[in-house]
Amino acid sequence: MSFFFTGGMGILLVLGLPVAFTLGLLAVAGMFFFNGGTFAFMQVPIIAYKSLDDFTLTALPMYVLMSQVLVISGVGRDLYEMASRWFRHFPGGLAIATLFCCTIFSAISGSSVATAVTVGSVALPEMVRRGYNKRHVLGLLAAGGTLGILIPPSIPMIIYGSVTGESVGKLFIAGIIPGIILTIAFMIFSAYQTRHIKDVPATWGERLEASRKAIWGLLLPVVIIGGIYAGIFTPTEAAAVGVVFSFAIAAFVYKNLTISNLKEIMLATVKTNTMILFIIIGAMLLGFILTILQIPQSIVSFATSQDINPWLIFIMINIVLLILGMFLETVSILVITLPILYPIIIALGFDPIWFAIIMIINMELALISPPVGLNLFVLKGLDKSNTISEIVKGVIPYAIIMLVFIVVLSFFPEIATVLVNNVE
């Protein structure tokens, strides 16, 4: 039966069927053949409803909406200009500034694609114009964009919390220190690689002027993460606050919220959310039939009953995630694998919050892994002269940094859990 589902999924994906419909079709076929024929189909609308009847998931469309508003508003442009003026006097300063901007925008949008598009559209032509190697710039932007799902708020963390029942607030807080450390590692490597490039320093007046313009964008992550950490509001309430704040910035500060781009924002938000929610429904339908057939339970029982070191199983899980990351996007991987992996992690005695961060970093790798890494195609779309091979060559060192960081987190899980333990 396991072969029926894994083989069927592989065939349907190779044929080009969207992930959501692949999962749903396999689930329906499984119900028909293994769970009572057409009678089992009565469960489909019930499961579909229950899979979305989760208060945690209400945060997801709001964070997507917030990121779309911020992409349109011009916040990213001002954040980049501020970072550029503060860091460009260092050797390789624009590389540092770009990663700093990626970090701040990640803490605003919660989306890797939004981060890569917004920062990339501003930074790519500017850095190439100032003499930075284009391949390195593309790699830097692809990797910097992935920070959008590690630094809170994070859409994949919301999905992890929804599927597993873990606190999204704790997941957000757990991502802060790993996100900062990974950003600093990227900065150090980029600064070393571009140390021969120096720029004209900005005056203090120019720095302060740029900071004044970017203050609204800087305030948003403080409000969202600070409010969650202080217990003022939940992650879902924080999403609502962020949406209101982002609309206020676009309407009253940048004054570029028009009927035309409001329509564009809403359409983009609906498309993104529809894709994500359909994948969740498909995965939950598949999860239902797999649970009825006790396939996850059998896998968990096998993994925990064998005389195998838990860390060896952990390594195997990471290898599987890396392979899946080459062919599926992050939401699909999360909703497909978590119903199986989460019970294994709990049974082996690993911390589920720590594992969430490990998994999110694996999802970052998925975003830059060929052949279907989403950030690779996002950057290719910014300039027709960009090639996937050029972007991949530029991003390889950053992928290695991520892999090393997974090893470091494995030895020092406190990096991810220290802040969470302080708020408990």
Side-chain angles (χ1 to χ4, degrees):
M1 286 187 291
S2 298
F3 178 76
F4 171 83
F5 291 106
T6 55
M9 184 179 299
I11 291 171
L12 292 175
L13 290 174
V14 168
L15 291 175
L17 191 67
V19 173
F21 298 112
T22 295
L23 298 175
L25 185 59
L26 283 174
V28 171
M31 290 177 186
F32 180 79
F33 290 113
F34 305 120
N35 192 41
T38 56
F39 178 76
F41 293 169
M42 294 173 61
Q43 295 292 324
V44 172
I46 299 172
I47 297 166
Y49 177 82
K50 286 185 176 180
S51 64
L52 301 183
D53 186 23
D54 183 350
F55 184 70
T56 302
L57 281 179
T58 59
L60 195 152
M62 286 188 283
Y63 280 120
V64 173
L65 175 59
M66 182 173 68
S67 70
Q68 293 297 334
V69 173
L70 293 171
V71 167
I72 295 292
S73 69
V75 169
R77 181 184 61 251
D78 283 347
L79 286 173
Y80 184 78
E81 185 61 28
M82 179 205 68
S84 169
R85 293 184 184 184
W86 279 98
F87 290 105
R88 73 188 188 199
H89 60 286
F90 293 111
L94 271 189
I96 299 173
T98 299
L99 286 167
F100 177 82
C101 188
C102 285
T103 305
I104 299 299
F105 200 82
S106 297
I108 294 174
S109 69
S111 166
S112 171
V113 172
T115 301
V117 168
T118 305
V119 179
S121 60
V122 180
L124 179 59
E126 182 68 12
M127 292 184 72
V128 171
R129 185 178 68 83
R130 292 175 183 259
Y132 285 78
N133 179 274
K134 187 177 182 181
R135 186 175 73 184
H136 173 67
V137 175
L138 290 169
L140 178 153
L141 289 169
T146 67
L147 295 170
I149 65 171
L150 178 60
I151 296 173
S154 163
I155 291 172
M157 286 183 184
I158 295 172
I159 294 171
Y160 185 99
S162 175
V163 173
T164 64
E166 294 293 334
S167 165
V168 175
K170 290 181 180 180
L171 293 172
F172 280 4
I173 293 169
I176 295 173
I177 293 179
I180 292 172
I181 292 175
L182 192 58
T183 300
I184 292 172
F186 284 174
M187 285 180 173
I188 291 172
F189 172 77
S190 296
Y192 176 78
Q193 197 170 39
T194 59
R195 62 192 182 279
H196 59 286
I197 301 178
K198 297 182 180 180
D199 213 329
V200 178
T203 66
W204 280 101
E206 290 173 333
R207 293 174 185 173
L208 294 174
E209 174 63 16
S211 299
R212 183 188 64 79
K213 289 182 178 180
I215 189 65
W216 295 103
L218 292 171
L219 278 176
L220 194 48
V222 174
V223 170
I224 293 174
I225 304 304
I228 294 172
Y229 193 83
I232 299 172
F233 36 67
T234 67
T236 303
E237 292 166 344
V241 171
V243 167
V244 173
F245 196 13
S246 61
F247 268 110
I249 292 173
F252 302 114
V253 178
Y254 290 91
K255 298 179 180 179
N256 57 4
L257 188 63
T258 63
I259 297 298
S260 175
N261 58 30
L262 183 60
K263 179 181 177 182
E264 182 182 343
I265 288 168
M266 293 304 178
L267 283 174
T269 301
V270 168
K271 287 179 181 178
T272 301
N273 282 310
T274 301
M275 176 196 71
I276 294 173
L277 296 178
F278 262 113
I279 291 173
I280 291 174
I281 291 173
M284 292 303 178
L285 288 170
L286 185 59
F288 169 79
I289 185 61
L290 292 179
T291 302
I292 292 294
L293 299 174
Q294 296 193 332
I295 292 175
Q297 296 91 321
S298 300
I299 294 173
V300 172
S301 177
F302 176 80
T304 55
S305 64
Q306 302 300 307
D307 188 20
I308 302 175
N309 189 305
W311 285 103
L312 182 59
I313 297 176
F314 172 76
I315 292 171
M316 293 169 62
I317 288 173
N318 278 274
I319 292 172
V320 169
L321 291 174
L322 287 171
I323 294 171
L324 289 175
M326 296 179 184
F327 305 101
L328 297 172
E329 41 74 45
T330 57
V331 174
S332 303
I333 298 172
L334 286 168
V335 294
I336 291 171
T337 61
L338 274 175
I340 297 174
L341 296 183
Y342 183 76
I344 293 176
I345 289 299
I346 297 298
L348 294 175
F350 291 117
D351 188 315
I353 299 293
W354 161 80
F355 178 70
I357 302 305
I358 294 288
M359 197 163 189
I360 293 299
I361 297 174
N362 274 289
M363 297 305 96
E364 289 189 283
L365 284 165
L367 287 165
I368 55 175
S369 297
V372 296
L374 194 55
N375 277 18
L376 305 179
F377 291 95
V378 166
L379 287 171
K380 177 175 172 54
L382 291 179
D383 186 339
K384 292 182 179 179
S385 66
N386 300 337
T387 64
I388 295 295
S389 61
E390 187 179 26
I391 303 169
V392 170
K393 289 176 183 177
V395 87
I396 287 174
Y398 297 95
I400 293 172
I401 291 173
M402 290 182 194
L403 289 170
V404 171
F405 190 48
I406 290 176
V407 175
V408 171
L409 269 176
S410 301
F411 282 103
F412 303 100
E414 298 82 8
I415 294 173
T417 60
V418 61
L419 289 181
V420 177
N421 293 335
N422 286 337
V423 297
E424 289 181 336

